[in-house]
Amino acid sequence: MPSQPQQTDVSIVIPVYNESENVGNLVRRVGEAMLPTGKRFELICIDDGSSDDSAQRLADLAKTNDWLKPLYLMRNYGQTAALQAGFEAAQGKLIVTLDGDLQNDPDDIPALLNMMAERPDVDMISGWRKDRKDKSISRKLPSKIANGLISWATGVELHDYGCALKVYRCEIIHEIKLYGELHRFIPALAAEVGAKIIEVPVRHHARTMGTSKYGIDRTFRVILDLVWIKFLFRFLHRPLHAFGGVGLTFFSPGMLILLWLAVQKFALGANIGGRPLLLVGFMLVLIGVLLVAMGVLGEILIRIYHEPEGRAQYRLRDGPRVLRPEKHDTTPEI
């Protein structure tokens, strides 16, 4: 009988968008870092609808590097969709991500893989660009604000959510589905499904070729995404608590206003028909009722989501987590 193909050890997933000047060096550097390790690996470069010749260059490189597996998206969907495409195509037991601009150092990958092998209790290693080589105003300041906001909102405290260099166990990453621009929140989403995360300082280089795709406007998009993440973590399975709580906050004062006006009308004979307070009371009560109704509809939708296809509200491990004494230095240098 023909032998079964061996499972891939490592899948390296890299979104690429208009990086024709970098993809050649990127593929070469990843090969130089991974081939000496002896691990079975694949490099999945996802061309996100580039308008330059990035896709063609990847196709040419794949002819001479059998471990390079390019994916070509029909149009520019964004980094989140590109990562999701890469995760779904990945066959490795460990999945590594990094950016395609070579600001992350591929030479750090073997050290992170060794660290993951030494820490069976860890599900994800997140890189930390401790000595970041970027402009202070347009890149470092927005990133620091965003990291603080995300850590506060999610409860998963990391110095550098935006560092693309990360290592995941495949069991964790296959539990996560990315939509919109949720690639920034992968550590928080991983923690939500039970992952243990450590953060490790990694090297960072200034961009030498191509142009950056990020700007200060990213901070404002992060704030909007945080609203969804906060709701996802706290109220996804109990939307009535979210909408109902706000609804009661409107409904209660509105009802008190209407009761007070009713006492004035029927007990004291006051004319309340032309008073603005009557309109305020009705509006507060109406808003409260509508919000509670939205919460009830949300509860119905959650049950529709889980019950027809038997989606579980919990996940089980194969066995107890391997415990490892924590060191005082929680961010070892590579």
Side-chain angles (χ1 to χ4, degrees), residues 241-297:
H241 290 189
F243 292 103
V246 178
L248 289 177
T249 301
F250 283 94
F251 180 85
S252 298
M255 184 56 68
L256 290 175
I257 290 172
L258 293 180
L259 289 175
W260 182 66
L261 291 175
V263 170
Q264 286 199 326
K265 172 67 175 178
F266 297 108
L268 304 178
N271 182 13
I272 63 171
R275 298 182 63 175
L277 197 58
L278 179 63
L279 180 60
V280 172
F282 272 118
M283 290 298 297
L284 290 175
V285 169
L286 180 60
I287 292 172
V289 170
L290 289 175
L291 287 172
V292 171
M294 288 179 63
V296 172
L297 289 175

Side-chain angles (χ1 to χ4, degrees), residues 115-306:
M115 190 176 300
M116 188 70 92
E118 295 170 359
R119 296 290 303 267
D121 59 319
V122 170
D123 301 301
M124 172 183 170
I125 298 177
S126 182
W128 171 19
R129 297 165 293 183
K130 196 171 183 179
D131 184 21
R132 187 171 177 177
K133 309 297 184 181
D134 276 326
K135 296 179 180 179
S136 297
I137 301 299
S138 62
R139 298 295 297 275
K140 288 185 180 180
L141 179 60
S143 179
K144 188 171 184 178
I145 295 172
N147 289 324
L149 287 172
I150 297 171
S151 296
W152 167 78
T154 64
V156 181
E157 295 188 5
L158 295 178
H159 294 88
D160 192 359
Y161 267 85
C163 181
L165 181 53
K166 294 179 172 67
V167 183
Y168 313 87
R169 299 196 188 277
C170 65
E171 299 85 0
I172 289 297
I173 207 63
H174 290 156
E175 291 287 344
I176 298 172
K177 296 297 182 184
L178 301 178
Y179 303 95
E181 294 192 14
L182 293 185
H183 63 274
R184 304 183 187 94
F185 305 95
I186 293 180
L189 295 172
E192 179 68 7
V193 298
K196 180 174 181 181
I197 304 169
I198 62 172
E199 189 175 36
V200 176
V202 295
R203 284 171 286 191
H204 188 251
H205 304 288
R207 176 185 275 271
T208 57
M209 292 183 289
T211 58
S212 174
K213 315 305 186 294
Y214 298 102
I216 198 167
D217 62 314
R218 180 173 55 166
T219 302
F220 301 105
R221 297 200 300 270
V222 168
I223 294 173
L224 295 176
D225 290 335
L226 275 176
V227 176
W228 162 241
I229 290 294
K230 193 70 173 177
F231 180 86
L232 175 69
F233 281 15
R234 294 193 60 184
F235 300 112
L236 180 62
H237 297 290
R238 47 192 182 98
L240 184 58
H241 290 189
F243 292 103
V246 178
L248 289 177
T249 301
F250 283 94
F251 180 85
S252 298
M255 184 56 68
L256 290 175
I257 290 172
L258 293 180
L259 289 175
W260 182 66
L261 291 175
V263 170
Q264 286 199 326
K265 172 67 175 178
F266 297 108
L268 304 178
N271 182 13
I272 63 171
R275 298 182 63 175
L277 197 58
L278 179 63
L279 180 60
V280 172
F282 272 118
M283 290 298 297
L284 290 175
V285 169
L286 180 60
I287 292 172
V289 170
L290 289 175
L291 287 172
V292 171
M294 288 179 63
V296 172
L297 289 175
E299 293 285 342
I300 295 172
L301 291 173
I302 283 295
R303 280 149 182 78
I304 293 173
Y305 174 78
H306 282 290

Side-chain angles (χ1 to χ4, degrees), residues 92-111:
K93 292 179 284 188
L94 295 176
I95 298 176
V96 180
T97 61
L98 69 157
D99 277 337
D101 55 12
L102 284 175
Q103 289 193 264
N104 299 128
D105 197 326
D107 290 337
D108 285 339
I109 296 175

